[in-house]
Amino acid sequence: MKATAKAHPIQGIVKYHGMFDHELRLPYHDSISVCTAPSHSKTTVEFDSALDADRYVVDGEVLEGHGADRIRGVVDRVRELAGIDERVRFESVNDFPTNIGFGSSASGFAAAAVALCAAADLDLSHPEMSTIARRGSASAARAVTGAFSHLRTGKDDIDCRSERIETDLEDDLRVVAAEVPAYKETEEAHKEAADSHMFQARMAHIHEQIATARHALREGDFETTFETAEHDSLSLAATTMTGPSGWVYWQPESLKVFETVRTLREEEDVPVYFSTDTGASVYVNTTDQFVDRVEAAIADLGIDTHVWGVGGPAQVLDESEALF
């Protein structure tokens, strides 16, 4: 009962913020994202009756406390569905920077859910597995279905699951990831989301944002899709900054990237838009034709960059790729 899977991290297009049920991780509203590749998380799991306790290792670190509890929520759901009670050995690695706003929790929990389902011989669709990954991170649900995906809100697993949005933008999108290494704390921001006086204002327009993004994606409309992502990033930041803790994730380097993007767009007519999740790092969205120009402009700021395309759904890997 052993399996390995990989999943790609997500960039939020219309980000979710806050949950009305923290145990099941049911978000207040819908969200849309795109997976970025080749960046990925890889996870190997094995159910073993000889073990006397679960063991969770991520990037070489043995997890305890809250980190272990989040993984256990996903593991226990798989045990429940499969009707098994064996302990599990769990190891995961990421090939990109984590905890700086690049969606590592999404890819990590997505790879975990898919590997666990395979190891437990559960024959589930990607939308069904997305409900399992969601118990670790709501964003992970979208990393399971991959590419451009839409997670709907709801009060149960029938409604709150992810589905893929088919779009012609998958082939042409290029993401210049501007790496700003400032640690961020997403969990606490989600917990206090509804306490911000900007939260209801965000809720008032989020449904229109979702509809606009879905339509733009179906039409292959790059400008509207990523203009929506840029505006939603500002809305999200306004909400986090006006919560009780006053979270300010952006760093001076983040603002330099914003200004560079706007200069490229306004003075050189380059199709380029910035986007951030809860973190200081910045996604700079452009097309294949302009990616070299955009990357050079961001690199000129002295910021490390990665160039990513669109990643597909989480998948089970051959046993030769197992981590143990």
Side-chain angles (χ1 to χ4, degrees), residues 43-77:
T43 301
T44 298
V45 300
E46 182 175 26
F47 290 103
D48 186 347
S49 58
L51 297 175
D52 57 7
D54 292 342
R55 177 179 170 83
Y56 307 122
V57 178
V58 176
D59 288 333
E61 178 184 354
V62 178
L63 296 189
E64 298 176 346
H66 181 63
D69 290 341
R70 288 182 68 183
I71 297 175
R72 190 173 298 109
V74 176
V75 173
D76 284 347
R77 178 57 175 161

PDB file of all heavy atoms in Angstrom, residues 43-77:
ATOM      1  N   THR A  43       5.198  13.614  -3.381  1.00  0.00           N
ATOM      2  CA  THR A  43       4.908  12.967  -2.103  1.00  0.00           C
ATOM      3  C   THR A  43       4.821  11.456  -2.266  1.00  0.00           C
ATOM      4  O   THR A  43       4.168  10.963  -3.193  1.00  0.00           O
ATOM      5  CB  THR A  43       3.573  13.484  -1.519  1.00  0.00           C
ATOM      6  OG1 THR A  43       3.658  14.896  -1.346  1.00  0.00           O
ATOM      7  CG2 THR A  43       3.272  12.816  -0.188  1.00  0.00           C
ATOM      8  N   THR A  44       5.474  10.747  -1.369  1.00  0.00           N
ATOM      9  CA  THR A  44       5.367   9.290  -1.304  1.00  0.00           C
ATOM     10  C   THR A  44       4.738   8.917   0.030  1.00  0.00           C
ATOM     11  O   THR A  44       5.121   9.456   1.079  1.00  0.00           O
ATOM     12  CB  THR A  44       6.744   8.615  -1.417  1.00  0.00           C
ATOM     13  OG1 THR A  44       7.315   8.928  -2.690  1.00  0.00           O
ATOM     14  CG2 THR A  44       6.631   7.097  -1.277  1.00  0.00           C
ATOM     15  N   VAL A  45       3.762   8.014  -0.010  1.00  0.00           N
ATOM     16  CA  VAL A  45       3.109   7.545   1.220  1.00  0.00           C
ATOM     17  C   VAL A  45       3.045   6.017   1.216  1.00  0.00           C
ATOM     18  O   VAL A  45       3.000   5.385   0.161  1.00  0.00           O
ATOM     19  CB  VAL A  45       1.678   8.112   1.357  1.00  0.00           C
ATOM     20  CG1 VAL A  45       1.703   9.635   1.391  1.00  0.00           C
ATOM     21  CG2 VAL A  45       0.782   7.612   0.238  1.00  0.00           C
ATOM     22  N   GLU A  46       3.048   5.463   2.416  1.00  0.00           N
ATOM     23  CA  GLU A  46       2.907   4.014   2.543  1.00  0.00           C
ATOM     24  C   GLU A  46       2.138   3.704   3.816  1.00  0.00           C
ATOM     25  O   GLU A  46       2.514   4.145   4.899  1.00  0.00           O
ATOM     26  CB  GLU A  46       4.263   3.325   2.587  1.00  0.00           C
ATOM     27  CG  GLU A  46       4.166   1.799   2.660  1.00  0.00           C
ATOM     28  CD  GLU A  46       5.517   1.119   2.584  1.00  0.00           C
ATOM     29  OE1 GLU A  46       6.526   1.742   2.965  1.00  0.00           O
ATOM     30  OE2 GLU A  46       5.559  -0.047   2.141  1.00  0.00           O
ATOM     31  N   PHE A  47       1.041   2.974   3.653  1.00  0.00           N
ATOM     32  CA  PHE A  47       0.312   2.462   4.808  1.00  0.00           C
ATOM     33  C   PHE A  47       0.983   1.168   5.244  1.00  0.00           C
ATOM     34  O   PHE A  47       1.230   0.283   4.437  1.00  0.00           O
ATOM     35  CB  PHE A  47      -1.155   2.200   4.455  1.00  0.00           C
ATOM     36  CG  PHE A  47      -1.963   3.449   4.231  1.00  0.00           C
ATOM     37  CD1 PHE A  47      -2.283   3.866   2.944  1.00  0.00           C
ATOM     38  CD2 PHE A  47      -2.400   4.207   5.306  1.00  0.00           C
ATOM     39  CE1 PHE A  47      -3.026   5.015   2.737  1.00  0.00           C
ATOM     40  CE2 PHE A  47      -3.146   5.352   5.111  1.00  0.00           C
ATOM     41  CZ  PHE A  47      -3.459   5.772   3.819  1.00  0.00           C
ATOM     42  N   ASP A  48       1.283   1.078   6.554  1.00  0.00           N
ATOM     43  CA  ASP A  48       2.068  -0.057   7.046  1.00  0.00           C
ATOM     44  C   ASP A  48       1.559  -0.433   8.438  1.00  0.00           C
ATOM     45  O   ASP A  48       1.685   0.341   9.395  1.00  0.00           O
ATOM     46  CB  ASP A  48       3.545   0.328   7.094  1.00  0.00           C
ATOM     47  CG  ASP A  48       4.450  -0.834   7.443  1.00  0.00           C
ATOM     48  OD1 ASP A  48       3.950  -1.893   7.884  1.00  0.00           O
ATOM     49  OD2 ASP A  48       5.684  -0.685   7.286  1.00  0.00           O
ATOM     50  N   SER A  49       1.019  -1.631   8.554  1.00  0.00           N
ATOM     51  CA  SER A  49       0.474  -2.091   9.843  1.00  0.00           C
ATOM     52  C   SER A  49       1.565  -2.299  10.886  1.00  0.00           C
ATOM     53  O   SER A  49       1.277  -2.394  12.083  1.00  0.00           O
ATOM     54  CB  SER A  49      -0.300  -3.401   9.640  1.00  0.00           C
ATOM     55  OG  SER A  49       0.527  -4.400   9.075  1.00  0.00           O
ATOM     56  N   ALA A  50       2.838  -2.364  10.451  1.00  0.00           N
ATOM     57  CA  ALA A  50       3.930  -2.565  11.396  1.00  0.00           C
ATOM     58  C   ALA A  50       4.309  -1.272  12.119  1.00  0.00           C
ATOM     59  O   ALA A  50       4.990  -1.312  13.146  1.00  0.00           O
ATOM     60  CB  ALA A  50       5.148  -3.128  10.667  1.00  0.00           C
ATOM     61  N   LEU A  51       3.875  -0.134  11.600  1.00  0.00           N
ATOM     62  CA  LEU A  51       4.190   1.145  12.235  1.00  0.00           C
ATOM     63  C   LEU A  51       3.322   1.357  13.466  1.00  0.00           C
ATOM     64  O   LEU A  51       2.135   0.984  13.469  1.00  0.00           O
ATOM     65  CB  LEU A  51       3.976   2.301  11.250  1.00  0.00           C
ATOM     66  CG  LEU A  51       4.860   2.324   9.999  1.00  0.00           C
ATOM     67  CD1 LEU A  51       4.428   3.453   9.072  1.00  0.00           C
ATOM     68  CD2 LEU A  51       6.325   2.494  10.382  1.00  0.00           C
ATOM     69  N   ASP A  52       3.878   1.982  14.499  1.00  0.00           N
ATOM     70  CA  ASP A  52       3.077   2.250  15.696  1.00  0.00           C
ATOM     71  C   ASP A  52       2.605   3.704  15.755  1.00  0.00           C
ATOM     72  O   ASP A  52       1.875   4.095  16.664  1.00  0.00           O
ATOM     73  CB  ASP A  52       3.854   1.903  16.971  1.00  0.00           C
ATOM     74  CG  ASP A  52       5.173   2.658  17.076  1.00  0.00           C
ATOM     75  OD1 ASP A  52       5.435   3.552  16.238  1.00  0.00           O
ATOM     76  OD2 ASP A  52       5.954   2.348  18.002  1.00  0.00           O
ATOM     77  N   ALA A  53       3.009   4.532  14.770  1.00  0.00           N
ATOM     78  CA  ALA A  53       2.572   5.931  14.715  1.00  0.00           C
ATOM     79  C   ALA A  53       2.811   6.475  13.313  1.00  0.00           C
ATOM     80  O   ALA A  53       3.690   5.990  12.584  1.00  0.00           O
ATOM     81  CB  ALA A  53       3.327   6.783  15.740  1.00  0.00           C
ATOM     82  N   ASP A  54       2.023   7.458  12.916  1.00  0.00           N
ATOM     83  CA  ASP A  54       2.269   8.142  11.647  1.00  0.00           C
ATOM     84  C   ASP A  54       3.600   8.897  11.728  1.00  0.00           C
ATOM     85  O   ASP A  54       4.005   9.352  12.801  1.00  0.00           O
ATOM     86  CB  ASP A  54       1.160   9.156  11.351  1.00  0.00           C
ATOM     87  CG  ASP A  54      -0.176   8.491  11.048  1.00  0.00           C
ATOM     88  OD1 ASP A  54      -0.195   7.288  10.740  1.00  0.00           O
ATOM     89  OD2 ASP A  54      -1.204   9.202  11.119  1.00  0.00           O
ATOM     90  N   ARG A  55       4.235   9.045  10.570  1.00  0.00           N
ATOM     91  CA  ARG A  55       5.468   9.829  10.490  1.00  0.00           C
ATOM     92  C   ARG A  55       5.371  10.730   9.267  1.00  0.00           C
ATOM     93  O   ARG A  55       5.225  10.253   8.136  1.00  0.00           O
ATOM     94  CB  ARG A  55       6.690   8.918  10.380  1.00  0.00           C
ATOM     95  CG  ARG A  55       8.026   9.669  10.226  1.00  0.00           C
ATOM     96  CD  ARG A  55       9.191   8.698  10.156  1.00  0.00           C
ATOM     97  NE  ARG A  55      10.445   9.347   9.772  1.00  0.00           N
ATOM     98  CZ  ARG A  55      11.249   9.996  10.614  1.00  0.00           C
ATOM     99  NH1 ARG A  55      10.927  10.067  11.891  1.00  0.00           N
ATOM    100  NH2 ARG A  55      12.362  10.550  10.186  1.00  0.00           N
ATOM    101  N   TYR A  56       5.443  12.037   9.495  1.00  0.00           N
ATOM    102  CA  TYR A  56       5.301  13.018   8.423  1.00  0.00           C
ATOM    103  C   TYR A  56       6.607  13.799   8.261  1.00  0.00           C
ATOM    104  O   TYR A  56       7.065  14.436   9.221  1.00  0.00           O
ATOM    105  CB  TYR A  56       4.164  13.996   8.727  1.00  0.00           C
ATOM    106  CG  TYR A  56       2.838  13.333   9.050  1.00  0.00           C
ATOM    107  CD1 TYR A  56       2.210  13.571  10.263  1.00  0.00           C
ATOM    108  CD2 TYR A  56       2.227  12.477   8.138  1.00  0.00           C
ATOM    109  CE1 TYR A  56       0.992  12.982  10.559  1.00  0.00           C
ATOM    110  CE2 TYR A  56       1.009  11.881   8.430  1.00  0.00           C
ATOM    111  CZ  TYR A  56       0.395  12.133   9.644  1.00  0.00           C
ATOM    112  OH  TYR A  56      -0.809  11.541   9.934  1.00  0.00           O
ATOM    113  N   VAL A  57       7.177  13.773   7.066  1.00  0.00           N
ATOM    114  CA  VAL A  57       8.424  14.478   6.783  1.00  0.00           C
ATOM    115  C   VAL A  57       8.223  15.334   5.537  1.00  0.00           C
ATOM    116  O   VAL A  57       7.801  14.834   4.491  1.00  0.00           O
ATOM    117  CB  VAL A  57       9.586  13.496   6.554  1.00  0.00           C
ATOM    118  CG1 VAL A  57      10.866  14.258   6.218  1.00  0.00           C
ATOM    119  CG2 VAL A  57       9.784  12.603   7.771  1.00  0.00           C
ATOM    120  N   VAL A  58       8.517  16.630   5.652  1.00  0.00           N
ATOM    121  CA  VAL A  58       8.409  17.547   4.519  1.00  0.00           C
ATOM    122  C   VAL A  58       9.731  18.284   4.354  1.00  0.00           C
ATOM    123  O   VAL A  58      10.220  18.913   5.303  1.00  0.00           O
ATOM    124  CB  VAL A  58       7.258  18.556   4.720  1.00  0.00           C
ATOM    125  CG1 VAL A  58       7.227  19.552   3.568  1.00  0.00           C
ATOM    126  CG2 VAL A  58       5.922  17.826   4.836  1.00  0.00           C
ATOM    127  N   ASP A  59      10.315  18.166   3.168  1.00  0.00           N
ATOM    128  CA  ASP A  59      11.614  18.784   2.875  1.00  0.00           C
ATOM    129  C   ASP A  59      12.645  18.443   3.940  1.00  0.00           C
ATOM    130  O   ASP A  59      13.416  19.294   4.393  1.00  0.00           O
ATOM    131  CB  ASP A  59      11.467  20.301   2.726  1.00  0.00           C
ATOM    132  CG  ASP A  59      10.765  20.693   1.439  1.00  0.00           C
ATOM    133  OD1 ASP A  59      10.839  19.917   0.468  1.00  0.00           O
ATOM    134  OD2 ASP A  59      10.140  21.774   1.398  1.00  0.00           O
ATOM    135  N   GLY A  60      12.634  17.179   4.370  1.00  0.00           N
ATOM    136  CA  GLY A  60      13.618  16.682   5.318  1.00  0.00           C
ATOM    137  C   GLY A  60      13.322  16.969   6.775  1.00  0.00           C
ATOM    138  O   GLY A  60      14.069  16.532   7.655  1.00  0.00           O
ATOM    139  N   GLU A  61      12.239  17.683   7.066  1.00  0.00           N
ATOM    140  CA  GLU A  61      11.901  18.044   8.447  1.00  0.00           C
ATOM    141  C   GLU A  61      10.732  17.197   8.953  1.00  0.00           C
ATOM    142  O   GLU A  61       9.688  17.122   8.298  1.00  0.00           O
ATOM    143  CB  GLU A  61      11.527  19.525   8.529  1.00  0.00           C
ATOM    144  CG  GLU A  61      11.115  19.978   9.918  1.00  0.00           C
ATOM    145  CD  GLU A  61      10.650  21.421   9.953  1.00  0.00           C
ATOM    146  OE1 GLU A  61      10.755  22.112   8.920  1.00  0.00           O
ATOM    147  OE2 GLU A  61      10.169  21.862  11.018  1.00  0.00           O
ATOM    148  N   VAL A  62      10.902  16.585  10.103  1.00  0.00           N
ATOM    149  CA  VAL A  62       9.816  15.830  10.723  1.00  0.00           C
ATOM    150  C   VAL A  62       8.817  16.821  11.305  1.00  0.00           C
ATOM    151  O   VAL A  62       9.171  17.691  12.102  1.00  0.00           O
ATOM    152  CB  VAL A  62      10.334  14.900  11.830  1.00  0.00           C
ATOM    153  CG1 VAL A  62       9.176  14.167  12.497  1.00  0.00           C
ATOM    154  CG2 VAL A  62      11.339  13.898  11.255  1.00  0.00           C
ATOM    155  N   LEU A  63       7.554  16.702  10.874  1.00  0.00           N
ATOM    156  CA  LEU A  63       6.539  17.648  11.319  1.00  0.00           C
ATOM    157  C   LEU A  63       5.848  17.164  12.585  1.00  0.00           C
ATOM    158  O   LEU A  63       5.539  15.978  12.736  1.00  0.00           O
ATOM    159  CB  LEU A  63       5.486  17.857  10.230  1.00  0.00           C
ATOM    160  CG  LEU A  63       5.940  18.498   8.925  1.00  0.00           C
ATOM    161  CD1 LEU A  63       4.731  18.832   8.065  1.00  0.00           C
ATOM    162  CD2 LEU A  63       6.774  19.742   9.179  1.00  0.00           C
ATOM    163  N   GLU A  64       5.587  18.117  13.464  1.00  0.00           N
ATOM    164  CA  GLU A  64       4.813  17.863  14.673  1.00  0.00           C
ATOM    165  C   GLU A  64       3.839  19.031  14.852  1.00  0.00           C
ATOM    166  O   GLU A  64       3.847  19.993  14.090  1.00  0.00           O
ATOM    167  CB  GLU A  64       5.742  17.734  15.886  1.00  0.00           C
ATOM    168  CG  GLU A  64       6.723  16.571  15.789  1.00  0.00           C
ATOM    169  CD  GLU A  64       7.692  16.528  16.961  1.00  0.00           C
ATOM    170  OE1 GLU A  64       7.766  17.535  17.697  1.00  0.00           O
ATOM    171  OE2 GLU A  64       8.357  15.493  17.130  1.00  0.00           O
ATOM    172  N   GLY A  65       2.990  18.947  15.834  1.00  0.00           N
ATOM    173  CA  GLY A  65       2.093  20.050  16.138  1.00  0.00           C
ATOM    174  C   GLY A  65       1.106  20.332  15.026  1.00  0.00           C
ATOM    175  O   GLY A  65       0.559  19.418  14.396  1.00  0.00           O
ATOM    176  N   HIS A  66       0.879  21.632  14.756  1.00  0.00           N
ATOM    177  CA  HIS A  66      -0.147  22.033  13.797  1.00  0.00           C
ATOM    178  C   HIS A  66       0.126  21.513  12.395  1.00  0.00           C
ATOM    179  O   HIS A  66      -0.797  21.099  11.683  1.00  0.00           O
ATOM    180  CB  HIS A  66      -0.263  23.562  13.778  1.00  0.00           C
ATOM    181  CG  HIS A  66      -1.310  24.068  12.825  1.00  0.00           C
ATOM    182  ND1 HIS A  66      -2.649  23.778  12.974  1.00  0.00           N
ATOM    183  CD2 HIS A  66      -1.206  24.840  11.706  1.00  0.00           C
ATOM    184  CE1 HIS A  66      -3.332  24.349  11.999  1.00  0.00           C
ATOM    185  NE2 HIS A  66      -2.481  24.996  11.215  1.00  0.00           N
ATOM    186  N   GLY A  67       1.396  21.522  11.978  1.00  0.00           N
ATOM    187  CA  GLY A  67       1.729  21.028  10.654  1.00  0.00           C
ATOM    188  C   GLY A  67       1.350  19.572  10.472  1.00  0.00           C
ATOM    189  O   GLY A  67       0.781  19.179   9.439  1.00  0.00           O
ATOM    190  N   ALA A  68       1.639  18.766  11.467  1.00  0.00           N
ATOM    191  CA  ALA A  68       1.269  17.346  11.418  1.00  0.00           C
ATOM    192  C   ALA A  68      -0.242  17.170  11.475  1.00  0.00           C
ATOM    193  O   ALA A  68      -0.806  16.298  10.800  1.00  0.00           O
ATOM    194  CB  ALA A  68       1.930  16.590  12.571  1.00  0.00           C
ATOM    195  N   ASP A  69      -0.916  17.997  12.250  1.00  0.00           N
ATOM    196  CA  ASP A  69      -2.376  17.903  12.361  1.00  0.00           C
ATOM    197  C   ASP A  69      -3.058  18.155  11.024  1.00  0.00           C
ATOM    198  O   ASP A  69      -4.058  17.506  10.689  1.00  0.00           O
ATOM    199  CB  ASP A  69      -2.897  18.899  13.400  1.00  0.00           C
ATOM    200  CG  ASP A  69      -2.526  18.519  14.820  1.00  0.00           C
ATOM    201  OD1 ASP A  69      -2.198  17.329  15.048  1.00  0.00           O
ATOM    202  OD2 ASP A  69      -2.555  19.404  15.700  1.00  0.00           O
ATOM    203  N   ARG A  70      -2.542  19.108  10.249  1.00  0.00           N
ATOM    204  CA  ARG A  70      -3.142  19.401   8.945  1.00  0.00           C
ATOM    205  C   ARG A  70      -3.005  18.206   7.999  1.00  0.00           C
ATOM    206  O   ARG A  70      -3.957  17.860   7.286  1.00  0.00           O
ATOM    207  CB  ARG A  70      -2.505  20.641   8.327  1.00  0.00           C
ATOM    208  CG  ARG A  70      -2.898  21.939   9.003  1.00  0.00           C
ATOM    209  CD  ARG A  70      -2.271  23.132   8.324  1.00  0.00           C
ATOM    210  NE  ARG A  70      -2.798  23.359   6.986  1.00  0.00           N
ATOM    211  CZ  ARG A  70      -2.375  24.311   6.166  1.00  0.00           C
ATOM    212  NH1 ARG A  70      -1.372  25.100   6.545  1.00  0.00           N
ATOM    213  NH2 ARG A  70      -2.916  24.473   4.973  1.00  0.00           N
ATOM    214  N   ILE A  71      -1.836  17.576   7.998  1.00  0.00           N
ATOM    215  CA  ILE A  71      -1.669  16.391   7.158  1.00  0.00           C
ATOM    216  C   ILE A  71      -2.549  15.260   7.653  1.00  0.00           C
ATOM    217  O   ILE A  71      -3.181  14.536   6.865  1.00  0.00           O
ATOM    218  CB  ILE A  71      -0.193  15.955   7.139  1.00  0.00           C
ATOM    219  CG1 ILE A  71       0.677  17.041   6.504  1.00  0.00           C
ATOM    220  CG2 ILE A  71      -0.031  14.634   6.386  1.00  0.00           C
ATOM    221  CD1 ILE A  71       2.168  16.756   6.558  1.00  0.00           C
ATOM    222  N   ARG A  72      -2.630  15.120   8.976  1.00  0.00           N
ATOM    223  CA  ARG A  72      -3.434  14.034   9.541  1.00  0.00           C
ATOM    224  C   ARG A  72      -4.904  14.155   9.139  1.00  0.00           C
ATOM    225  O   ARG A  72      -5.597  13.151   8.956  1.00  0.00           O
ATOM    226  CB  ARG A  72      -3.293  14.024  11.064  1.00  0.00           C
ATOM    227  CG  ARG A  72      -3.897  12.775  11.728  1.00  0.00           C
ATOM    228  CD  ARG A  72      -3.582  12.734  13.216  1.00  0.00           C
ATOM    229  NE  ARG A  72      -2.142  12.658  13.450  1.00  0.00           N
ATOM    230  CZ  ARG A  72      -1.413  13.656  13.944  1.00  0.00           C
ATOM    231  NH1 ARG A  72      -1.983  14.810  14.280  1.00  0.00           N
ATOM    232  NH2 ARG A  72      -0.116  13.507  14.128  1.00  0.00           N
ATOM    233  N   GLY A  73      -5.392  15.382   8.973  1.00  0.00           N
ATOM    234  CA  GLY A  73      -6.775  15.559   8.546  1.00  0.00           C
ATOM    235  C   GLY A  73      -7.029  14.956   7.176  1.00  0.00           C
ATOM    236  O   GLY A  73      -8.104  14.388   6.924  1.00  0.00           O
ATOM    237  N   VAL A  74      -6.050  15.051   6.285  1.00  0.00           N
ATOM    238  CA  VAL A  74      -6.165  14.459   4.956  1.00  0.00           C
ATOM    239  C   VAL A  74      -6.030  12.940   5.042  1.00  0.00           C
ATOM    240  O   VAL A  74      -6.805  12.187   4.450  1.00  0.00           O
ATOM    241  CB  VAL A  74      -5.099  15.051   4.012  1.00  0.00           C
ATOM    242  CG1 VAL A  74      -5.144  14.382   2.643  1.00  0.00           C
ATOM    243  CG2 VAL A  74      -5.285  16.565   3.879  1.00  0.00           C
ATOM    244  N   VAL A  75      -5.041  12.488   5.814  1.00  0.00           N
ATOM    245  CA  VAL A  75      -4.808  11.046   5.973  1.00  0.00           C
ATOM    246  C   VAL A  75      -6.034  10.372   6.580  1.00  0.00           C
ATOM    247  O   VAL A  75      -6.480   9.312   6.106  1.00  0.00           O
ATOM    248  CB  VAL A  75      -3.566  10.786   6.841  1.00  0.00           C
ATOM    249  CG1 VAL A  75      -3.418   9.297   7.148  1.00  0.00           C
ATOM    250  CG2 VAL A  75      -2.302  11.311   6.153  1.00  0.00           C
ATOM    251  N   ASP A  76      -6.602  10.973   7.606  1.00  0.00           N
ATOM    252  CA  ASP A  76      -7.753  10.362   8.285  1.00  0.00           C
ATOM    253  C   ASP A  76      -8.965  10.277   7.368  1.00  0.00           C
ATOM    254  O   ASP A  76      -9.751   9.326   7.452  1.00  0.00           O
ATOM    255  CB  ASP A  76      -8.109  11.150   9.540  1.00  0.00           C
ATOM    256  CG  ASP A  76      -7.150  10.903  10.690  1.00  0.00           C
ATOM    257  OD1 ASP A  76      -6.361   9.941  10.606  1.00  0.00           O
ATOM    258  OD2 ASP A  76      -7.174  11.672  11.673  1.00  0.00           O
ATOM    259  N   ARG A  77      -9.130  11.253   6.492  1.00  0.00           N
ATOM    260  CA  ARG A  77     -10.260  11.194   5.555  1.00  0.00           C
ATOM    261  C   ARG A  77     -10.083  10.028   4.588  1.00  0.00           C
ATOM    262  O   ARG A  77     -11.052   9.311   4.275  1.00  0.00           O
ATOM    263  CB  ARG A  77     -10.368  12.512   4.784  1.00  0.00           C
ATOM    264  CG  ARG A  77     -11.499  12.537   3.739  1.00  0.00           C
ATOM    265  CD  ARG A  77     -12.852  12.235   4.355  1.00  0.00           C
ATOM    266  NE  ARG A  77     -13.914  12.386   3.374  1.00  0.00           N
ATOM    267  CZ  ARG A  77     -15.126  11.861   3.512  1.00  0.00           C
ATOM    268  NH1 ARG A  77     -15.437  11.137   4.595  1.00  0.00           N
ATOM    269  NH2 ARG A  77     -16.047  12.051   2.587  1.00  0.00           N
TER     270      ARG A  77
END
